[in-house]
Amino acid sequence: GAGVSQSPSNKVTEKGKDVELRCDPISGHTALYWYRQSLGQGLEFLIYFQGNSAPDKSGLPSDRFSAERTGGSVSTLTIQRTQQEDSAVYLCASSLNGDTEAFFGQGTRLTVV
Amino acid sequence: AQSVTQLDSQVPVFEEAPVELRCNYSSSVSVYLFWYVQYPNQGLQLLLKYLSGSTLVKGINGFEAEFNKSQTSFHLRKPSVHISDTAEYFCAVRGAQKLVFGQGTRLTINP
């Protein structure tokens, strides 16, 4: 596609519910990143996929967070039993091979009420 | 593992004044360095990048940055800022693995 696409753009959910956030990277990009940006904060690394290698999950804040990337393309970030502190903008980015610049989607704004 | 430190969380400057946003990194391997900009209510976009070659790199909107390996720095500069440069600026480093970002510097331009 023309750019990184994320859906939904906004998500309001009740505390305790599970949510799934989707990312469609740029076609042909082998690297995919998820970040979290809280109000007034920087970008917190969550997870990194590179080709067929095992993902780097070192940034996932708890075992309620998980992500997968199917067929080396679309990725889904799942948050189980959401908490209010999970409220943030979740950003996805893709890169041609992990060594070049990353292109960002517009993000999903998650609000847990 | 690599890390990035942006030394200033906020930088206020007057319009048409020069500006420097500071970034220091740590990494045990060779790095690629990036500056991204996030305008109000918009997504992140690449401002400039250093992959190899000349240590002075030029980006969009008149910005430039210099890679200094001995000081492990990649400071961003612009000789004369405009109101439209008001944004959050993020420095990022790509070392052995993932792309890591600093905490960001909020640049505010006063008329």
Side-chain angles (χ1 to χ4, degrees):
Chain A
V4 178
S5 178
Q6 292 187 244
S7 60
S9 54
N10 281 284
K11 176 71 176 179
V12 180
T13 190
E14 291 181 352
K15 178 181 174 181
K17 300 281 190 180
D18 298 352
V19 295
E20 286 189 351
L21 312 180
R22 177 187 170 103
C23 174
D24 281 272
I26 293 173
S27 178
H29 281 194
T30 62
L32 187 146
Y33 307 84
W34 282 99
Y35 295 89
R36 180 168 69 175
Q37 186 174 28
S38 302
L39 188 63
Q41 301 297 311
L43 275 72
E44 176 188 5
F45 167 79
L46 297 177
I47 189 168
Y48 167 53
F49 296 90
Q50 172 56 62
N52 295 320
S53 302
D56 179 343
K57 303 179 181 181
S58 60
L60 295 178
S62 76
D63 58 7
R64 296 186 296 105
F65 288 72
S66 63
E68 62 177 21
R69 189 178 185 190
T70 54
S73 181
V74 172
S75 178
T76 302
L77 177 69
T78 301
I79 308 173
Q80 296 179 307
R81 305 181 302 281
T82 52
Q83 304 295 314
Q84 287 187 331
E85 60 262 29
D86 299 334
S87 296
V89 176
Y90 289 81
L91 295 168
C92 176
S94 72
S95 168
L96 183 61
N97 57 16
D99 287 342
T100 55
E101 66 265 34
F103 295 85
F104 281 81
Q106 290 299 304
T108 294
R109 181 176 300 277
L110 175 67
T111 303
V112 182
V113 298
Chain B
Q2 62 264 31
S3 66
V4 180
T5 302
Q6 292 185 241
L7 298 164
D8 306 294
S9 60
Q10 296 187 57
V11 174
V13 296
F14 287 106
E15 194 172 16
E16 298 184 6
V19 69
E20 178 179 82
L21 306 184
R22 297 179 292 169
C23 172
N24 285 88
Y25 69 91
S26 66
S27 176
S28 58
V29 299
S30 296
V31 297
Y32 301 138
L33 296 157
F34 308 87
W35 275 98
Y36 283 81
V37 60
Q38 187 174 34
Y39 296 107
N41 301 313
Q42 295 189 28
L44 275 86
Q45 60 181 278
L46 183 71
L47 203 54
L48 48 78
K49 62 186 177 184
Y50 171 78
L51 302 182
S52 65
S54 173
T55 57
L56 182 63
V57 293
K58 295 186 183 298
I60 61 172
N61 301 337
F63 283 93
E64 64 180 32
E66 185 161 17
F67 169 54
N68 188 318
K69 188 175 181 179
S70 63
Q71 297 186 4
T72 60
S73 68
F74 191 55
H75 300 334
L76 180 70
R77 302 185 185 99
K78 186 170 182 177
S80 176
V81 296
H82 301 134
I83 291 284
S84 59
D85 293 323
T86 296
E88 188 94 17
Y89 292 79
F90 294 94
C91 181
V93 61
R94 168 70 159 91
Q97 297 175 343
K98 56 186 179 280
L99 184 63
V100 176
F101 284 79
Q103 288 299 302
T105 297
R106 183 171 299 277
L107 178 62
T108 304
I109 313 299
N110 298 308

